[in-house]
């Protein structure tokens, strides 16, 4: 079973690999929409990363320096260290779920606003023709 995932025709200003040329990227990265997307991303990711690192370091420090506490039996042979270790996995999956939810609700709508600006191509006709990029894309005729 094959599926055609090939991209459509390249947008004006896009390089042949499907990305943006440097001028288009600079224009897009300075747009208000892109800055808002980046800010929304950072407002979620940085605090979540810090919280997870604190939680992980707490586990490591307690394992190293509070062996008595970590060895405390909770149920049968299950001790606090095992519970904390398993909670590391649980917290990882919860963070992944929370990020997916955040991305779907907040980031994807903002990214949809950025895409038209990214696909808008270079401003001037010289840039549109690829003048000065030094790359031979094989589209010019040699006059023969």
């Amino acid at each position: 079973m094959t599926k055609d995932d090939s991209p459509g025709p390249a947008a004006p200003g896009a390089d042949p690999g499907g990305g943006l040329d440097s001028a288009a990227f600079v224009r897009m990265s300075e747009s208000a929409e892109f800055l808002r997307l980046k800010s929304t991303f950072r407002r979620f990711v940085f605090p979540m990363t810090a919280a997870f690192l604190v939680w992980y370091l707490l586990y490591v420090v307690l394992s190293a320096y509070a062996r008595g506490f970590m060895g405390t039996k909770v149920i049968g042979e299950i001790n606090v260290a095992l519970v904390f270790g398993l909670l590391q996995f649980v917290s990882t999956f919860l963070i992944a779920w929370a990020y997916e939810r955040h991305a779907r609700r907040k980031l994807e709508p903002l990214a949809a606003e950025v895409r038209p600006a990214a696909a808008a191509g270079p401003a001037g006709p010289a840039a549109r023709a690829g003048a000065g990029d030094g790359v031979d894309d094989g589209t010019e005729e040699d006059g023969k």
Side-chain angles (χ1 to χ4, degrees):
M1 182 168 135
T2 62
K3 181 179 174 186
D4 184 18
D5 287 332
S6 61
D15 73 11
L20 298 174
D21 64 9
S22 59
F25 177 78
V26 168
R27 253 191 339 277
M28 180 203 61
S29 66
E30 293 172 348
S31 71
E33 295 86 3
F34 185 80
L35 295 174
R36 193 168 9 144
L37 172 63
K38 197 162 68 167
S39 172
T40 303
F41 172 78
R42 287 179 176 169
R43 273 194 313 256
F44 180 87
V45 170
F46 288 165
M48 192 62 68
T49 301
F52 181 79
L53 287 175
V54 166
W55 162 237
Y56 177 74
L57 289 175
L58 174 69
Y59 173 65
V60 171
V61 168
L62 288 175
S63 294
Y65 297 106
R67 291 182 180 234
F69 170 70
M70 295 298 269
T72 303
K73 304 282 185 189
V74 178
I75 299 172
E77 292 299 313
I78 299 173
N79 61 18
V80 173
L82 181 60
V83 171
F84 271 41
L86 293 174
L87 287 175
Q88 291 289 317
F89 287 102
V90 172
S91 65
T92 300
F93 288 112
L94 286 174
I95 290 169
W97 171 78
Y99 176 75
E100 187 278 330
R101 185 174 177 212
H102 173 75
R104 188 173 8 99
R105 290 183 174 188
K106 306 278 187 188
L107 299 178
E108 285 302 320
L110 292 173
E113 294 176 16
V114 171
R115 283 186 196 107
R128 215 174 282 119
D133 64 2
V135 176
D136 181 12
D137 61 1
T139 57
E140 295 182 34
E141 294 188 26
D142 60 3
K144 291 184 181 176

